[in-house]
Amino acid sequence: DTGVSQDPRHKITKRGQNVTFRCDPISEHNRLYWYRQTLGQGPEFLTYFQNEAQLEKSRLLSDRFSAERPKGSFSTLEIQRTEQGDSAMYLCASSPPRGAPEAFFGQGTRLTVV
Amino acid sequence: GEDVEQSLFLSVREGDSSVINCTYTDSSSTYLYWYKQEPGAGLQLLTYIFSNMDMKQDQRLTVLLNKKDKHLSLRIADTQTGDSAIYFCAESKNRGSTLGRLYFGRGTQLTVWP
């Protein structure tokens, strides 16, 4: 297993366009998290899936954001009608079902809204 | 975020020890983590410590936890130029929070001079 994989690594989009990011967690990790990181800040929690169920959403996740994990494996994060304030690094992490909650992060998707 | 505080910058000479400090506010935190982030990359899990421990050593890394003062530190022995990166302290909370959700500090930029 090569770890958590995110695609694309970079995305430049015009304001108002929709974008979708994909995350493939480590195999057998049933817990999946999305975070957002802006320049000079630590990652901030966006949402959490346990298997296919979305169990928590942060207040940071406005109505323009939606996340899915349809079969409990990969996840997608969609941002509709992007705004310049959405420019950030979007990080995905996964954790195993048992033991210490070690969260392993992907390389992130860098979004730039112009 | 505001729950976890770190100093923003640290500079050391190659071969010296580095000590990165962190304070947190939630006494119910169960696990405390150190992550490393290199430019443009995701977060690499370095080590973590369970809240009932006061020290953990892993090769060049030593983590010290003072639960009474809610203070966590990461010591890197024989610091190398390849250790230059941003180091994030993070906590996972036991009460009132999603399992495994992490709360991050703003990160400490470690610069190692040759």
Side-chain angles (χ1 to χ4, degrees), chain A residues 33-48:
Chain A
Y33 309 82
W34 285 97
Y35 290 82
R36 180 171 71 186
Q37 184 181 23
T38 52
L39 200 62
Q41 302 295 322
E44 293 177 291
F45 172 81
L46 290 178
T47 191
Y48 163 62

Side-chain angles (χ1 to χ4, degrees), chain B residues 26-30 92-98 103:
Chain B
D26 192 339
S27 58
S28 75
S29 293
T30 50
S92 68
K93 301 187 182 187
N94 191 36
R95 290 193 293 268
S97 183
T98 292
Y103 297 79

Side-chain angles (χ1 to χ4, degrees), chain A residues 26-64:
Chain A
I26 294 171
S27 299
E28 299 175 359
H29 280 195
N30 68 332
R31 290 183 277 152
L32 187 148
Y33 309 82
W34 285 97
Y35 290 82
R36 180 171 71 186
Q37 184 181 23
T38 52
L39 200 62
Q41 302 295 322
E44 293 177 291
F45 172 81
L46 290 178
T47 191
Y48 163 62
F49 289 86
Q50 185 166 305
N51 301 310
E52 66 276 5
Q54 187 175 21
L55 296 186
E56 185 176 353
K57 292 195 293 185
S58 160
R59 279 173 288 180
L60 290 176
L61 217 63
S62 76
D63 291 344
R64 296 184 297 105

Side-chain angles (χ1 to χ4, degrees), chain A residues 67-86:
Chain A
E68 295 183 342
R69 194 182 183 196
K71 296 180 182 177
S73 57
F74 74 91
S75 175
T76 57
L77 177 67
E78 181 184 16
I79 309 174
Q80 295 183 326
R81 304 181 304 281
T82 51
E83 301 173 356
Q84 286 189 318
D86 297 331

